[in-house]
Amino acid sequence: MATMLDVSLRAGVSKATVSRVLNGTGQVKESTRQQVFKAMEELGYRPNFLARSLANQTSNSIGLVVSTFDGFYFGRLLQQASRQTESHGKQLIVTDGHDTPEREEQAVQMLADRQCDAIILYTRYMSEKAIMALVDSIPMPLVVINRDVAQARDRCVFFEQQDAAFQAVEYLISQGHRDIACITVPIHTPTGKARLEGYRNALKKHGIPWDPARVKYGDSSMTRGYELCRELLEDNTRFSALFACNDDMALGASKALHQAGLRIPQDISLFGFDDAPSAKWLEPGLSTVYLPIDNMIVTAIEQAIKLANDQPIETIPPFTGTLVLRDSVTVGPYSSSSAINS
């Protein structure tokens, strides 16, 4: 059976360096880290995590609470989280918060009881007060994804939801659309509120009146996107563009538009949010907002490990979205080119 000494000889580094790689402590170059992991794989070396935990008084694990296990978005997050924790020689322990504040809090407490070195919480519903109570009560560092908590900004990794929605709707306006409908994600979440506010702010900036009839409130699913788009059509609501606050609802809406005999984008331009893998396979390809969840989870893990190792940290700037422009948007009735062609 291979030993740590065997790994150090194969990798051409000291035994202390191998130990630092496995424990995720100290400064080790990425190239050296990869050499050590390659040697471990070639030799079939498996570190004894229990023995290391007892010796170092650390569990060598990072806890992660996610809102739900559903959907591509959390699949991407979990894949990247697993790779990043392994690169630090730690184990990832994942649990489901079941999209309720109470279950999310219970999940954090369970991971704290398991003595995780640090815990990362992705929450959509928990209040700032409840988040701060956890930050203050559990003995290990807590890093929060998807929330901007003013009292603990150095513990927060979040995305500028409102600005990204604003950019998407402003792009539709720049293409000559003023009659823009919107179907939302759950409006009782900070994410839902921020994306709707971005939509409203873009209309306001360009002097377009807010029309409640053009807004339908959804639950993030394809089915609801389909139903809400049908409601807009059955209500005879006038719109030349539809902003769906996530890609799943945009895909559902696209089916409703096709069934109504409307073409995308010739009759209705369609814009989504999240850049789901399915977005580029829609016919035509769906214009959407790319949300950098991969970079966000990597950053959260790095911050958590620094906190666990008592290393200095800095507040993380908000992440921003990128418009991914495909073929589901064309010029609207208020564009100069539309006037020329009419």
Side-chain angles (χ1 to χ4, degrees):
M1 181 180 293
T3 66
M4 190 183 295
L5 177 61
D6 297 327
V7 173
S8 69
L9 293 172
R10 174 65 67 94
V13 299
S14 69
K15 188 175 176 182
T17 298
V18 175
S19 178
R20 284 197 295 272
V21 170
L22 291 174
N23 293 324
T25 58
Q27 297 296 318
V28 181
K29 291 193 300 184
E30 183 59 28
S31 57
T32 302
R33 191 190 307 278
Q34 293 306 319
Q35 279 179 244
V36 171
F37 283 125
K38 182 181 179 184
M40 288 172 56
E41 185 176 352
E42 290 173 350
L43 294 170
Y45 175 74
R46 295 292 179 268
N48 187 326
F49 282 102
L50 178 58
R52 283 166 49 202
S53 297
L54 293 172
N56 301 328
Q57 294 186 322
T58 172
S59 68
N60 279 303
S61 63
I62 299 294
L64 173 62
V65 180
V66 295
S67 299
T68 175
F69 290 155
D70 290 339
F72 85 96
Y73 178 86
F74 287 105
R76 274 173 52 195
L77 184 150
L78 291 172
Q79 282 185 335
Q80 195 63 51
S82 177
R83 293 191 192 104
Q84 194 65 16
T85 50
E86 285 177 6
S87 75
H88 285 279
K90 295 184 181 293
Q91 293 178 310
L92 181 68
I93 302 177
V94 183
T95 187
D96 188 345
H98 298 279
D99 249 354
T100 68
E102 297 78 16
R103 296 292 292 273
E104 288 171 351
E105 184 173 346
Q106 290 171 12
V108 170
Q109 293 291 354
M110 181 274 289
L111 293 170
D113 291 343
R114 287 176 175 264
Q115 299 294 311
C116 290
D117 298 343
I119 298 171
I120 298 167
L121 168 65
Y122 189 109
T123 178
R124 291 192 278 207
Y125 297 102
M126 193 178 291
S127 68
E128 288 193 18
K129 182 178 179 181
I131 291 171
M132 284 307 303
L134 285 172
V135 169
D136 294 336
S137 65
I138 64 173
M140 62 283 297
L142 178 70
V143 174
V144 183
I145 301 181
N146 195 44
R147 299 295 294 279
D148 177 13
V149 182
Q151 296 170 269
R153 287 295 306 277
D154 59 350
R155 304 293 188 96
C156 298
V157 179
F158 64 97
F159 175 76
E160 286 281 18
Q161 303 278 357
Q162 183 173 311
D163 181 66
F166 177 92
Q167 288 183 46
V169 177
E170 188 168 57
Y171 175 75
L172 290 171
I173 294 169
S174 76
Q175 297 303 297
H177 297 279
R178 292 179 67 84
D179 303 324
I180 304 170
C182 175
I183 51 180
T184 77
V185 290
I187 200 61
H188 54 287
T189 67
T191 294
K193 290 175 183 174
R195 293 184 187 181
L196 180 60
E197 194 64 22
Y199 163 81
R200 295 191 67 162
N201 288 346
L203 298 183
K204 183 178 180 180
K205 177 184 175 182
H206 293 274
I208 301 171
W210 162 262
D211 183 354
R214 290 200 179 106
V215 178
K216 298 289 184 179
Y217 299 93
D219 65 359
S220 299
S221 68
M222 290 186 196
T223 299
R224 194 67 180 135
Y226 170 80
E227 293 170 347
L228 294 179
C229 186
R230 285 197 60 173
E231 285 182 23
L232 287 167
L233 296 172
E234 291 167 359
D235 292 345
N236 293 316
T237 303
R238 188 177 69 180
F239 63 101
S240 64
L242 175 61
F243 173 52
C245 288
N246 80 352
D247 287 347
D248 280 351
M249 285 199 301
L251 266 73
S254 72
K255 182 173 182 178
L257 293 172
H258 285 306
Q259 287 183 345
L262 296 169
R263 300 165 300 166
I264 303 171
Q266 295 90 334
D267 300 315
I268 302 291
S269 288
L270 182 61
F271 211 104
F273 203 114
D274 288 341
D275 196 26
S278 54
K280 67 180 178 181
W281 297 108
L282 182 68
E283 186 56 44
L286 179 65
S287 291
T288 184
V289 178
Y290 171 72
L291 197 164
I293 188 59
D294 310 77
N295 292 337
M296 290 171 66
I297 187 62
V298 167
T299 301
I301 289 170
E302 291 296 325
Q303 193 82 329
I305 289 174
K306 286 179 182 177
L307 285 163
N309 293 333
D310 293 322
Q311 295 173 346
I313 60 170
E314 296 180 359
T315 299
I316 298 163
F319 283 80
T320 56
T322 304
L323 299 188
V324 181
L325 304 178
R326 297 191 176 100
D327 301 320
S328 63
V329 175
T330 192
V331 293
Y334 295 91
S335 71
S336 57
S337 58
S338 293
I340 292 170
N341 294 330
S342 61

